[in-house]
Amino acid sequence: MSSFVTSLTRTWRYRPTKQLKWQLLLVFPWFIPLITYLLLGPRYLHHLPTFLGATLLNALIGLGCQMILDLITQRIARRYAELGQTGQRLGLLLLAFMTITPAVILLALWAYDHWHLFGYSTQPGTTARILLFNVMINVISVGTFESMYSLNKWRENMLQKEQLKKVTLQSQYESLKNQVNPHFLFNTLNSLSSLIADEPERAEQFVDEMAKVYRYLLQTNRRTDDETDGDLTTLAAEMAFIQSYFHLLKTRYGAGIRLDVTLPEADLACLLPPLTLQMLVENAVKHNVIHPNKPLVIEIRSEGEGRLLVRNNRQPKTTRVLSNQVGLSNITAKYRLLAQRQGAPGTTAPGVVVDETDGFFSVHLPLLTPTLS
C-alpha cells in the first residue's frame, strides 16, 4: 500500500515551470486588471471594493487555470520531448490552451452572471472580446514556451553531441594507444617474425589481418572527425574487425585463446558504438591467464530482444594488473549519452550491465535498431 501511495505521489508531483513563474511576475500584473476591466467596465476602476475583490477573484481563477495548463504542458513536453516532435508538441499545446482557457472563462462568466458578482450584467460583445483577447495571449504563451523549449533542447543536444564525441575520441585514443604501444608492437612483430621464416603464407595472412585492424581504427577515427555518424557502426562491421583482431591474438597465443560467436543474421544490421567489442576482448586478454591447458574462452552471442552478451571465463592473473577502468567507463558513457540523444519514449534499450557470476565476467550490451530516414 505504501509503495502504491509513493508511486501515486511521484506521478502527481507538480513543480511549476520557470515560464509560469515569469508569467505570474510579468503577465498577471497587467493581464488580470485588463480582463477584469473588459468584464466590469468603468465600475472596476471607480469602486475600490470592486477593484480589490474582482482582482483577487480573477487572479485566483487565472492562477488555477495556468497551473492546470502548466501541468499539462509538462506532460506533453515529456511525452514529445525531441526536436523532431515539435509539430506534435506544438499542436497538442495549442489544443490544450484553446480548449481549457475558453472553458474556464465561460464558466467564470456564467458564475458572474448567475450571482451578479460585483454588479456584473451581461453586455453585448463582452464575451467575444475577452475570448479573442485570450486567444491572442494563448498563441503568445505557446509560442514563447516552444521557442524557449526548442532553444534549450538544441543546446542540450549540442552539449550531448560534444560529450559523446569526447568519449568516442577518448575510447579511440585508448584503443589506438594500446595497439601501438611498444609491448603490443613487440609481441605482434615477434609473432610475424617467427612466421616469416617457417610459414610465409601465414605471415602474409597475418600482415593482411594486421592491416585490417589498423585500417578500421583509422577509418573510425576519421568518421568521428568528419562528424558523419562516427558514433555508431553496424555489428557486422564490428565483428569483421574483431575477427581480424582476434587473428592476431590467436597467432600469438595459439590454443590458449578461443573465440565463440553465435549471432543471428538479423542482429548484424543492428548498431553499437565502434570499438566496443574490441575493448571487451582486450580487457579479457589483459586480466586473465592465457594457457593451452587453461584456455581463455571469449563468447559473443545474442541474448535476443536487442541484447548482446560478451563474456569470458575468469582465471585472473596472479600478478596484479594495473587497470583504470577506462574501457568499461567509456562504453557505459557512450550508451548513456546515446540513450539521451535518441531517448524518444519507448525506443531506448536498457543500459550496459556488467556482472561477475559463476566464474564468468559478463557484459550485456544493448543493440540499437537503425532508423529509416
Side-chain angles (χ1 to χ4, degrees):
M1 181 66 180
S2 60
S3 61
F4 172 77
V5 173
T6 302
S7 175
L8 191 63
T9 302
R10 288 177 180 173
T11 302
W12 291 101
R13 181 184 298 166
Y14 168 67
R15 292 181 180 177
T17 61
K18 288 183 179 179
Q19 182 172 354
L20 177 59
K21 296 176 181 177
W22 280 110
Q23 282 179 334
L24 296 179
L25 184 63
L26 300 178
V27 178
F28 264 47
W30 63 265
F31 177 75
I32 295 299
L34 181 57
I35 286 291
T36 311
Y37 180 79
L38 291 175
L39 188 66
L40 299 178
R43 175 178 171 79
Y44 171 64
L45 298 178
H46 299 150
H47 189 248
L48 183 60
T50 298
F51 177 84
L52 295 176
T55 300
L56 178 60
L57 176 60
N58 289 343
L60 291 175
I61 294 173
L63 178 61
C65 181
Q66 288 303 312
M67 289 179 67
I68 293 172
L69 289 172
D70 193 54
L71 177 61
I72 293 174
T73 297
Q74 292 184 46
R75 296 292 178 89
I76 292 174
R78 281 198 295 268
R79 178 64 181 84
Y80 301 95
E82 301 305 310
L83 285 176
Q85 298 173 306
T86 298
Q88 296 164 289
R89 185 172 57 250
L90 191 57
L92 288 173
L93 287 173
L94 285 172
L95 178 62
F97 274 68
M98 297 303 182
T99 301
I100 293 174
T101 53
V104 172
I105 289 172
L106 292 174
L107 183 61
L109 288 174
W110 175 86
Y112 267 87
D113 185 56
H114 183 74
W115 285 295
H116 301 290
L117 298 175
F118 307 107
Y120 171 80
S121 61
T122 304
Q123 299 293 327
T126 298
T127 302
R129 286 196 298 271
I130 292 176
L131 289 175
L132 180 61
F133 185 71
N134 182 256
V135 167
M136 295 171 56
I137 295 297
N138 283 341
V139 171
I140 293 173
S141 295
V142 172
T144 302
F145 170 81
E146 183 57 39
S147 299
M148 294 173 59
Y149 181 88
S150 296
L151 179 60
N152 289 334
K153 196 67 179 178
W154 178 80
R155 288 174 175 170
E156 179 183 313
N157 287 349
M158 292 299 295
L159 179 61
Q160 290 173 358
K161 186 175 181 179
E162 289 302 315
Q163 289 176 329
L164 180 59
K165 184 178 180 181
K166 180 179 178 180
V167 171
T168 300
L169 289 173
Q170 176 66 26
S171 66
Q172 290 170 353
Y173 168 73
E174 291 294 328
S175 180
L176 191 58
K177 182 178 70 175
N178 289 330
Q179 305 315 316
V180 299
N181 73 65
H183 184 68
F184 178 85
L185 282 177
F186 174 80
N187 289 322
T188 302
L189 294 176
N190 191 45
S191 299
L192 177 61
S193 176
S194 64
L195 291 174
I196 290 175
D198 302 327
E199 301 177 81
E201 291 185 2
R202 285 190 63 197
E204 184 176 350
Q205 184 183 5
F206 184 89
V207 170
D208 288 341
E209 300 299 335
M210 186 176 176
K212 291 177 183 178
V213 167
Y214 283 100
R215 186 181 302 117
Y216 185 82
L217 290 170
L218 294 174
Q219 287 174 346
T220 301
N221 186 63
R222 185 165 58 249
R223 285 203 307 272
T224 302
D225 288 340
D226 295 340
E227 297 188 8
T228 54
D229 297 330
D231 51 353
L232 290 174
T233 188
T234 63
L235 180 58
E238 187 79 353
M239 284 307 305
F241 166 68
I242 286 297
Q243 294 293 352
S244 296
Y245 179 69
F246 185 75
H247 183 90
L248 305 184
L249 298 175
K250 187 68 175 177
T251 301
R252 178 184 173 190
Y253 295 110
I257 192 169
R258 195 170 81 229
L259 177 66
D260 292 342
V261 179
T262 307
L263 295 172
E265 190 73 23
D267 282 356
L268 295 179
C270 294
L271 304 175
L272 74 167
L275 303 177
T276 297
L277 300 184
Q278 187 268 343
M279 286 185 182
L280 296 177
V281 171
E282 181 181 59
N283 189 65
V285 172
K286 180 178 180 179
H287 293 281
N288 292 279
V289 172
I290 303 177
H291 193 274
N293 295 330
K294 297 178 63 178
L296 175 65
V297 181
I298 302 172
E299 299 177 61
I300 302 176
R301 57 184 173 87
S302 172
E303 294 185 294
E305 299 182 354
R307 303 287 293 178
L308 186 70
L309 171 65
V310 181
R311 75 172 187 174
N312 60 270
N313 53 323
R314 293 186 70 250
Q315 37 195 42
K317 293 180 178 178
T318 54
T319 56
R320 184 177 178 83
V321 178
L322 181 63
S323 174
N324 53 14
Q325 297 291 315
V326 169
L328 285 174
S329 298
N330 280 341
I331 291 172
T332 302
K334 281 185 188 180
Y335 272 103
R336 184 177 64 252
L337 290 170
L338 285 169
Q340 292 172 357
R341 283 181 55 189
Q342 303 176 358
T347 62
T348 55
V352 178
V353 178
V354 179
D355 61 68
E356 299 182 42
T357 55
D358 301 326
F360 289 95
F361 181 84
S362 304
V363 179
H364 308 263
L365 302 168
L367 290 174
L368 306 177
T369 304
T371 56
L372 298 177
S373 57

